[in-house]
Amino acid sequence: MTANHSHEDCVVEPALDVLFGKWKVSILYLLFQGTKRFSELQKSIPGITKKMLISHLRDLEEQDVILRIVYPSVPPRVEYSLTETGQSLGPILELMHQWGIKHEEQLMRKRSSEAVTQS
Amino acid sequence: MTANHSHEDCVVEPALDVLFGKWKVSILYLLFQGTKRFSELQKSIPGITKKMLISHLRDLEEQDVILRIVYPSVPPRVEYSLTETGQSLGPILELMHQWGIKHEEQLMRKRSSEAVTQS
DNA sequence: CTGGATCCTTTGTGATACTG
DNA sequence: CAGTATCACAAAGGATCCAG
């Protein structure tokens, strides 16, 4: 996914792959608040199915972004948390968040200034 | 795409949407070098089809990330360039690039230290 | 409670032919 | 040259049922 171009110096794909997926950022967002159980994540993300949650968690785990700890109790208890690699995604998310805000502002300014900017 | 979650304060989706697509970053990467013609983009991104190139360019244009200028000559000439909004994606790409590098390094360190770190 | 397996729909992408 | 249209395919996502 997300390109097989061979522009040698443009290594942004890994981060993109980690972030891509309909619910990945939601999951990461929650885990930035601290360790969460599977059921906590599920109820905190309305609309997500177990399949997708598991699928995304597996992806993130495999990419060493999150840590999965299983407590062999009855019933089973599984906790997910960010690894250091996961934590290091913070600044990226923060920047993208700021960009999202600024972008919205900008679109609003564009609209209100169109009547003036016109020749 | 990329989630309809309702975590009010997590507005990273716009940036993610802009960046997502198999060739989006390749396109942006080239446009960061300056204005490019359609045919330039196409030959600079081996493997991309006209359909995908146009599709992605349309997306980016609609999101106000790139500017499309048509010169009504014969044959037609169209030039694409980054808008200010597009330029502002630079830091994000830069951060993701750095993350990609660091992540690779880290995975390599993990492998070589596994034999030592083991209890 | 956590998670796997199956089936189905939707969306992203590729191949190709056609047009002003 | 820059683009459109159509068909086909793969992958992402959703629904549902099953299991330790």
Side-chain angles (χ1 to χ4, degrees):
Chain A
M1 244 303 163
T2 13
N4 45 347
H5 61 33
S6 38
H7 296 120
E8 327 70 27
D9 16 53
C10 190
V11 201
V12 306
E13 312 301 345
L16 230 44
D17 284 350
V18 164
L19 260 22
F20 179 69
K22 191 169 180 179
W23 314 92
K24 289 268 181 71
V25 285
S26 299
I27 295 172
L28 293 175
Y29 176 71
L30 287 168
L31 292 183
F32 265 102
Q33 299 174 358
T35 299
K36 303 282 181 189
R37 296 185 54 173
F38 182 86
S39 50
E40 286 182 285
L41 291 172
Q42 188 172 12
K43 72 171 173 43
S44 297
I45 309 178
I48 196 173
T49 61
K50 280 187 290 191
K51 181 195 174 186
M52 287 314 300
L53 182 51
I54 291 187
S55 171
H56 282 166
L57 287 172
R58 290 288 177 277
D59 290 349
L60 294 169
E61 186 187 3
E62 188 163 352
Q63 289 165 314
D64 198 40
V65 170
I66 66 174
L67 186 65
R68 175 172 174 268
I69 300 182
V70 182
Y71 297 91
S73 52
V74 184
R77 174 192 185 87
V78 181
E79 289 187 350
Y80 294 91
S81 58
L82 292 177
T83 61
E84 287 189 20
T85 300
Q87 301 273 356
S88 68
L89 285 169
I92 296 179
L93 291 172
E94 175 63 21
L95 253 188
M96 300 207 315
H97 175 256
Q98 289 175 16
W99 190 90
I101 304 289
K102 194 185 297 182
H103 191 204
E104 286 178 351
E105 283 179 4
Q106 180 179 325
L107 285 179
M108 293 175 68
R109 269 188 284 122
K110 260 190 76 175
R111 286 203 190 88
S112 56
S113 66
E114 257 166 11
V116 189
T117 317
Q118 291 285 351
S119 63
Chain B
M1 249 299 163
T2 15
N4 44 348
H5 62 32
S6 37
H7 296 118
E8 326 70 27
D9 17 51
C10 188
V11 200
V12 306
E13 312 301 346
L16 228 45
D17 285 349
V18 164
L19 260 20
F20 180 68
K22 190 170 182 178
W23 314 93
K24 290 268 180 73
V25 284
S26 300
I27 295 172
L28 292 175
Y29 177 71
L30 288 168
L31 292 184
F32 265 101
Q33 300 175 359
T35 299
K36 303 281 183 193
R37 296 185 54 174
F38 181 87
S39 50
E40 287 182 284
L41 291 171
Q42 188 172 13
K43 74 169 173 42
S44 298
I45 308 178
I48 196 172
T49 60
K50 280 187 290 191
K51 181 192 173 186
M52 286 314 299
L53 182 51
I54 292 190
S55 171
H56 282 167
L57 287 172
R58 291 286 179 277
D59 289 349
L60 293 170
E61 187 188 2
E62 188 164 352
Q63 289 164 312
D64 199 40
V65 169
I66 66 174
L67 187 64
R68 176 172 172 268
I69 301 183
V70 182
Y71 297 91
S73 53
V74 185
R77 174 192 185 86
V78 181
E79 289 188 350
Y80 294 91
S81 58
L82 291 177
T83 61
E84 287 189 18
T85 301
Q87 301 274 355
S88 69
L89 286 168
I92 295 180
L93 290 173
E94 175 62 21
L95 253 189
M96 301 207 315
H97 175 256
Q98 290 176 16
W99 190 90
I101 303 289
K102 193 184 298 181
H103 190 206
E104 285 178 355
E105 282 180 5
Q106 180 180 322
L107 285 179
M108 293 175 67
R109 268 188 287 125
K110 259 191 77 175
R111 285 203 190 89
S112 57
S113 66
E114 256 166 13
V116 189
T117 317
Q118 290 288 347
S119 61

